[in-house]
Amino acid sequence: MTIRRKLHLSNILMIVIPVCIIMLTGMLCITFLRNHYFDSLEDMFEYDNGLYSAQSLTFSYWGDFEDDPETAVAGLQGELAGMGFHVYVEKDGRRFSSNLTEEDEECLEQMDVRESLERCDSLTLTSGGSSLLLQSQEINGTVWKLIAVRPASEDGEGFSGSYLRSYFLLLFGILGSVTLGIIVVTNFFLTHWVSHSILKPLKLLQEGASRIEEGDLDTEFTDIPKNEIGEVCRDFDNMRERLKEATLARIQYENYRRELLAGISHDLRTPLTSIKGYTDGLIEGIADTEEKRQRYYRAIRLRAGDMEALADNLSSFTRLETEELRVSPVEWDLSEFVKRLLEDYSVEAEKKNILFLNEVPEKGIRLLLDETEMKRVFQNFFENSVKYRTSAQSVIRLWCRRQEDAVEIGVSGDGPGVPEEELTQIFESFYRGDRSRTQAGNGSGLGLAVAKRIVEAHGGTIWAVNGDGSRKDGQERRTCNHGNGQGLTIIIRLPLL
């Protein structure tokens, strides 16, 4: 059963059941009290003893005699005739109007009331089934006298039975019918209004669910009502938004995974092919001198190192994906940390022809650092500068800029830089500026993503700018740009103690 039908049925039953109970109770009461009350009341208003009704009706017409006596008399004669009475009217002792019949005259003679009619101002009499009514009234100095006679043989003109049944019960029936009709019409419109306020939002939910089933997550809900069901619609729309975000994230993640597999395949194949070639050269005797053999050995070791670095990045990425990255920061002076970093990397710097310019102040900047993890961050920056440099030597400048509650640490290189639209993407997993992947040994694109997670684990942020980002006025310094590019600066912002 639909909600609309249930609403109609429930509203109807809310009316019908109480009405039926009231009617049943009323019938039982009438049946019980009929002999004690109703029959006596009805007898009082019966037409064969209808003086009470005729007297009340006559009193109601006296007020009309002042304005238009002819019309008042005609109306009174008409209504009393319906009750079986004929009327004689006098004005100041003279006949004004009469519809008495010979039978009415004979009835008066039989009742022997001529003398009483002349002497009395008001009289009601019932004799032998006949009824007599006399009333007098002075209006504006004029004396009106009204005599109404109902012979015993008269049954009324077009009416019979009980005055109570004819008027009161008929009135009650009309009022009951009108009331029932009003209730039914009101019920119809209220049910339509309530069902519309319920069914319209439900239809929105149905349409939204159908769109989601078809894969449409972009269409927003409109015309949401401000009620409880509207709140459900808003929650459903919020769920659609979250589902859309989750779907986009899943699609992006799948794209990243595909890029990762492609990158790993390429980055593994390149050193493996190189190692295989050098090994074949050694086996086949192509390296026929000790000098060549030593060069082949060094090349094999270098390619093995590339594979080891790839494995380390994959391990770090796996830890990041499973939320297992934990840092153990201790208090450091920034200048001491940078000195330790450059000392540990001095052998690699000499081997890879890197010139460091340390512009970090001697002391006074203290912060919490996990030495091992933060060294990995900076070493990744150094490795990227070497991988993407355009000259034989890399010049890397380290600087810092102190703020009120934080310090910005910058690493400015002299490489080719990054297109502006890709500056925010280089910290994404699997991103590589070398989209064609034509350069061997350029990595899998995980290093900066790992660095970002490590910095965030320290409560910091990281971003990149082209050129030298150390100037407060936003102007770029070019002192490190010994290559052909504009250089790239990685900036880390960490909280101070």
Side-chain angles (χ1 to χ4, degrees):
M1 185 180 293
T2 63
I3 294 179
R4 185 189 295 272
R5 190 178 297 275
K6 285 182 179 180
L7 286 172
H8 278 295
L9 182 60
S10 63
N11 288 339
I12 290 173
L13 290 177
M14 282 191 294
I15 298 170
V16 170
I17 292 176
V19 169
C20 290
I21 294 174
I22 292 172
M23 290 179 63
L24 180 61
T25 304
M27 291 174 63
L28 293 174
C29 292
I30 290 174
T31 302
F32 179 75
L33 298 174
R34 181 178 180 86
N35 296 329
H36 299 82
Y37 175 75
F38 187 79
D39 286 347
S40 299
L41 180 65
E42 187 176 25
D43 288 342
M44 184 176 69
F45 286 95
E46 285 289 342
Y47 287 154
D48 58 356
N49 189 24
L51 284 175
Y52 297 105
S53 301
Q55 190 176 22
S56 299
L57 183 64
T58 303
F59 275 122
S60 68
Y61 266 87
W62 281 124
D64 297 335
F65 274 66
E66 182 178 358
D67 298 327
D68 190 355
E70 290 84 359
T71 302
V73 169
L76 179 60
Q77 287 178 338
E79 291 207 43
L80 288 177
M83 300 172 65
F85 286 89
H86 294 135
V87 181
Y88 173 83
V89 180
E90 282 187 359
K91 177 182 180 182
D92 290 331
R94 293 188 299 274
R95 172 176 173 167
F96 182 78
S97 176
S98 175
N99 64 351
L100 296 180
T101 64
E102 293 181 0
E103 185 179 4
D104 297 328
E105 296 288 349
E106 293 175 0
C107 178
L108 290 174
E109 294 295 334
Q110 292 175 2
M111 297 176 70
D112 193 17
V113 293
R114 291 289 185 181
E115 185 178 351
S116 299
L117 293 177
E118 294 292 336
R119 188 175 64 251
C120 298
D121 293 330
S122 177
L123 176 66
T124 57
L125 176 65
T126 299
S127 176
S130 298
S131 299
L132 174 65
L133 171 65
L134 169 65
Q135 286 188 10
S136 297
Q137 188 77 21
E138 183 177 354
I139 301 174
N140 293 334
T142 301
V143 178
W144 295 88
K145 180 179 285 189
L146 182 147
I147 302 171
V149 182
R150 184 177 187 275
S153 60
E154 185 65 59
D155 294 329
E157 298 178 6
F159 293 88
S160 62
S162 170
Y163 181 79
L164 180 67
R165 293 180 186 274
S166 300
Y167 291 96
F168 284 95
L169 296 183
L170 177 62
L171 178 62
F172 290 154
I174 293 174
L175 289 177
S177 299
V178 171
T179 302
L180 183 61
I182 292 174
I183 291 174
V184 170
V185 173
T186 304
N187 169 68
F188 174 79
F189 284 105
L190 288 179
T191 302
H192 177 75
W193 175 64
V194 173
S195 63
H196 180 73
S197 65
I198 295 175
L199 295 178
K200 183 178 179 181
L202 290 179
K203 187 176 181 181
L204 289 176
L205 289 175
Q206 181 184 15
E207 293 175 351
S210 299
R211 288 195 297 267
I212 290 176
E213 183 180 5
E214 295 171 358
D216 179 11
L217 298 174
D218 297 320
T219 305
E220 298 182 0
F221 277 56
T222 57
D223 299 330
I224 298 179
K226 296 181 179 180
N227 53 29
E228 294 80 0
I229 299 181
E231 292 178 4
V232 176
C233 292
R234 282 186 284 274
D235 291 340
F236 189 90
D237 196 48
N238 292 335
M239 181 193 70
R240 176 194 62 80
E241 286 287 348
R242 291 192 295 270
L243 183 59
K244 178 181 177 181
E245 293 172 0
T247 301
L248 294 177
R250 179 176 55 82
I251 293 173
Q252 185 180 28
Y253 181 77
E254 291 299 326
N255 291 334
Y256 286 162
R257 300 285 291 190
R258 283 193 293 269
E259 290 187 14
L260 173 64
L261 292 175
I264 293 175
S265 175
H266 179 276
D267 292 338
L268 283 176
R269 185 181 297 109
T270 300
L272 284 175
T273 301
S274 180
I275 291 173
K276 182 180 178 182
Y278 285 120
T279 304
D280 290 340
L282 292 171
I283 294 174
E284 295 173 2
I286 297 176
D288 52 1
T289 65
E290 185 62 26
E291 182 182 355
K292 285 185 178 181
R293 284 193 292 270
Q294 290 298 322
R295 184 160 55 86
Y296 278 31
Y297 293 148
R298 286 193 297 271
I300 291 173
R301 182 171 181 173
L302 179 61
R303 300 300 181 266
D306 291 339
M307 295 176 65
E308 182 181 13
L310 176 61
D312 289 341
N313 278 336
L314 286 174
S315 176
S316 299
F317 172 74
T318 303
R319 285 196 298 137
L320 294 175
E321 288 294 293
T322 56
E323 301 294 336
E324 293 180 0
L325 177 63
R326 296 289 185 272
V327 295
S328 301
V330 296
E331 185 175 347
W332 275 90
D333 184 273
L334 181 59
S335 63
E336 293 296 328
F337 173 80
V338 173
K339 287 179 180 180
R340 180 84 60 89
L341 169 68
L342 297 181
E343 288 175 1
D344 293 345
Y345 200 74
S346 59
V347 176
E348 288 292 322
E350 183 178 356
K351 185 189 302 184
K352 296 177 180 179
N353 198 12
I354 301 175
L355 173 62
F356 287 108
L357 302 178
N358 183 5
E359 299 179 5
V360 176
E362 285 297 323
K363 289 185 179 181
I365 300 177
R366 305 197 66 81
L367 65 170
L368 294 175
L369 297 174
D370 184 315
E371 181 182 7
T372 302
E373 296 295 343
M374 195 57 70
K375 280 183 177 180
R376 290 188 59 194
V377 171
F378 284 94
Q379 288 171 4
N380 179 267
F381 299 162
F382 302 159
E383 295 294 331
N384 284 340
S385 296
V386 173
K387 289 176 182 177
Y388 294 100
R389 67 186 177 187
T390 56
S391 61
Q393 184 185 47
S394 296
V395 179
I396 300 176
R397 189 171 68 90
L398 285 84
W399 53 269
C400 71
R401 180 167 56 224
R402 184 166 186 167
Q403 298 181 336
E404 183 177 353
D405 57 352
V407 61
E408 292 181 358
I409 308 167
V411 180
S412 300
D414 59 350
V418 175
E420 291 292 332
E421 64 274 10
E422 296 184 9
L423 283 174
T424 58
Q425 303 174 24
I426 61 176
F427 298 100
E428 297 175 1
S429 301
F430 321 126
Y431 173 82
R432 282 181 49 165
D434 176 26
R435 290 296 184 182
S436 63
R437 308 194 67 87
T438 56
Q439 298 181 16
N442 276 359
S444 60
L446 292 172
L448 289 178
V450 173
K452 179 181 178 182
R453 295 296 292 272
I454 293 174
V455 171
E456 290 175 347
H458 282 77
T461 55
I462 185 172
W463 67 94
V465 295
N466 280 316
D468 186 350
S470 63
R471 294 288 295 277
K472 293 184 179 181
D473 57 5
Q475 300 296 322
E476 298 176 356
R477 282 176 50 180
R478 304 289 181 171
T479 56
C480 294
N481 297 350
H482 301 292
N484 297 324
Q486 65 176 9
L488 180 71
T489 296
I490 304 295
I491 303 175
I492 300 172
R493 189 176 190 272
L494 294 173
L496 291 172
L497 285 178

